[in-house]
Amino acid sequence: MKMKLVMAGTLLASLTAMPLAAQTRTEVVEVIEDVEATKGSSLTSDFKSNWFISAGAGPQVFFGDHDRQRKFGQRISPALDIAVGKWITPVVGLRLMYSGLYAKGATQNGIFSTGHPIDGKPWHGYWLEDSKFDFMDLHVDVLFDLCNWIGGYNPKRIYSIALYAGAGFGYTWNRPHQNAIAANVGLFHMFHLGRAWDINIDMRLSGFHDGFDGANGSRPFDGLTTLTAGVTYRFAPRGWKVKREVVTVYDNSAVNDLRNQVARLVAENEKLEKDAKAGKNVSHKTVEYIGGDYLIYFPINVSELSLADRAQLEQCATAIKNGPKGAKYLIMGYADKSTGTPEVNEILSRARAESVRACLVNEFGISADRFDVRWKGGVGNMFYDDPTLSRVVILSPVK
């Protein structure tokens, strides 16, 4: 007398791992981080993300008490900018910048004089002389990205402009040394060449207290205008994340129905076996499990199975053992392509599929040759336009 137990699919169909208790409704709350391309300042990054370093060079012109006595072209000197900073949000950033090299002007008291008189500039018995002094301006600036503020964060934007203001410390390297509190305002133009590199143009006005160039006069402050061009490198990790809470509600009635069917069919099969052993005339009986693909979902960047996952896989393993001998099953792993790189998603989808096979083989004793393990890497939204449902392993019978 032969009895045959046929499993048309796995025991549970298209459901995530859930508690074994016979509940009619389950709510699963998951806090996830996704890369978003939505409007602006509510998106934040962690401390290690969105750091940058920039360098630039160009001309600068100093405005002191006597500098207007020289021709404008004679006052132009080279400028150097070196900065390190971080974008805190797509709109707000901070940077620490060194600016300086040297400035050229005119002096009446001989401080910072080059010893070269300015022709035709006697001044009530005093002669003006060319001046030159090495200096630095070390300042902290707050940057405000106008494009991201007005138009929203867009990772494909080619050009951005940031308004900034800051304060710092000015110092002349020549003797007698001059110290000054410095104030800066400017515009920072960014031309994005890709995810990592920018070409930038920095237009800046700086102010120091009167006498920074060694000459005191009627002006309350000395000024400096600077125009530099250079490059910016943005360190990885780059991009913006937003934490959001996803509540997924599952209707467990279908699962409970399947459990009841399994219990009934197993009991019926056991009765047939007992009748056959007792010599009763038992007709051929075919018991078929109703089911389909089995899905198990993973949190973002996770490939390990939880205890709830293992509990569900134990039921799945029982159904496989009671099914047709030698039946084959496909284990397919997936990842969500909206997060992570293609290389990471390839590894992650494989690791998820391997975790499911390892559990069924090592913990529940099913032969490894019953499974064909494959993976797809990162994929688009598979269910209900929700990327979290693409972080999944699907176990299905090979037909």
Side-chain angles (χ1 to χ4, degrees):
M1 185 70 59
K2 292 185 179 179
M3 289 179 294
K4 184 178 177 184
L5 189 61
V6 179
M7 187 175 70
T10 58
L11 182 60
L12 302 178
S14 303
L15 295 171
T16 186
M18 58 184 64
L20 297 178
Q23 305 173 12
T24 60
R25 179 184 175 92
T26 299
E27 291 189 1
V28 178
V29 180
E30 181 185 11
V31 177
I32 64 172
E33 285 189 347
D34 282 331
V35 175
E36 297 286 342
T38 59
K39 273 197 173 182
S41 58
S42 63
L43 303 180
T44 59
S45 64
D46 54 26
F47 178 79
K48 65 182 181 180
S49 300
N50 297 306
W51 286 86
F52 65 88
I53 186 171
S54 63
Q60 60 186 354
V61 177
F62 193 84
F63 294 88
D65 293 293
H66 306 294
D67 296 328
R68 63 180 179 272
Q69 303 299 327
R70 299 192 66 185
K71 294 180 180 180
F72 182 82
Q74 296 175 334
R75 294 158 54 194
I76 298 175
S77 61
L80 174 65
D81 290 341
I82 299 175
V84 61
K86 171 180 171 58
W87 286 100
I88 302 171
T89 74
V91 174
V92 179
L94 289 174
R95 73 177 181 187
L96 173 66
M97 174 176 277
Y98 162 88
S99 305
L101 280 186
Y102 66 87
K104 297 193 295 186
T107 178
Q108 191 179 55
N109 59 16
I111 295 179
F112 304 142
S113 172
T114 65
H116 184 272
I118 300 177
D119 295 337
K121 295 296 180 180
W123 196 261
H124 299 291
Y126 295 94
W127 291 85
L128 295 177
E129 296 177 331
D130 292 334
S131 67
K132 175 183 175 182
F133 57 95
D134 302 324
F135 77 98
M136 74 165 188
D137 178 11
L138 189 65
H139 51 97
V140 175
D141 300 322
V142 179
L143 299 95
F144 193 74
D145 192 309
L146 300 177
C147 293
N148 284 342
W149 178 56
I150 297 173
Y153 169 64
N154 182 357
K156 297 182 180 180
R157 183 176 286 122
I158 297 176
Y159 167 77
S160 295
I161 181 171
L163 174 68
Y164 69 86
F169 173 73
Y171 179 77
T172 62
W173 301 105
N174 308 80
R175 296 180 181 275
H177 300 302
Q178 303 293 321
N179 301 321
I181 299 299
N184 307 281
V185 294
L187 292 172
F188 191 61
H189 304 263
M190 297 163 281
F191 299 88
H192 306 302
L193 302 181
R195 289 179 55 82
W197 289 96
D198 294 346
I199 293 177
N200 50 261
I201 299 175
D202 198 329
M203 304 166 63
R204 181 171 61 254
L205 296 175
S206 305
F208 310 87
H209 70 68
D210 186 30
F212 185 64
D213 62 349
N216 293 301
S218 58
R219 293 181 177 178
F221 60 86
D222 294 333
L224 181 73
T225 180
T226 307
L227 174 65
T228 61
V231 295
T232 296
Y233 177 76
R234 297 191 300 277
F235 295 97
R238 313 173 187 94
W240 304 98
K241 296 180 179 179
V242 58
K243 286 188 177 181
R244 58 189 177 100
E245 190 176 86
V246 177
V247 180
T248 306
V249 179
Y250 299 98
D251 183 0
N252 292 356
S253 59
V255 177
N256 295 332
D257 289 342
L258 288 173
R259 288 178 181 141
N260 293 334
Q261 286 187 57
V262 170
R264 177 178 59 81
L265 294 172
V266 169
E268 185 176 351
N269 194 62
E270 289 176 350
K271 182 178 181 300
L272 290 172
E273 290 178 346
K274 289 180 181 179
D275 290 345
K277 290 179 180 179
K280 295 182 179 180
N281 185 19
V282 180
S283 60
H284 291 271
K285 180 72 175 180
T286 298
V287 180
E288 182 173 334
Y289 283 170
I290 307 297
D293 296 342
Y294 177 76
L295 283 72
I296 184 165
Y297 295 97
F298 292 80
I300 187 170
N301 293 331
V302 172
S303 60
E304 294 81 12
L305 294 168
S306 67
L307 292 179
D309 299 333
R310 285 179 163 82
Q312 291 298 306
L313 287 174
E314 184 176 11
Q315 287 198 14
C316 184
T318 300
I320 292 175
K321 290 176 181 178
N322 291 333
K325 302 302 181 182
K328 302 290 186 178
Y329 301 91
L330 173 64
I331 300 176
M332 183 69 76
Y334 299 86
D336 165 28
K337 75 174 183 180
S338 66
T339 58
T341 64
E343 294 78 12
V344 169
N345 287 332
E346 184 79 10
I347 296 172
L348 188 59
S349 63
R350 177 177 182 176
R352 287 169 174 168
E354 294 286 1
S355 292
V356 171
R357 177 173 65 174
C359 179
L360 292 170
V361 173
N362 299 332
E363 296 187 30
F364 303 123
I366 300 178
S367 176
D369 61 10
R370 303 282 298 274
F371 303 110
D372 180 12
V373 178
R374 302 180 187 179
W375 52 92
K376 289 284 190 179
V379 298
N381 296 346
M382 299 171 63
F383 308 104
Y384 299 101
D385 198 29
D386 187 344
T388 65
L389 300 182
S390 297
R391 303 162 191 156
V392 65
V393 169
I394 301 177
L395 174 64
S396 56
V398 177
K399 299 177 180 179

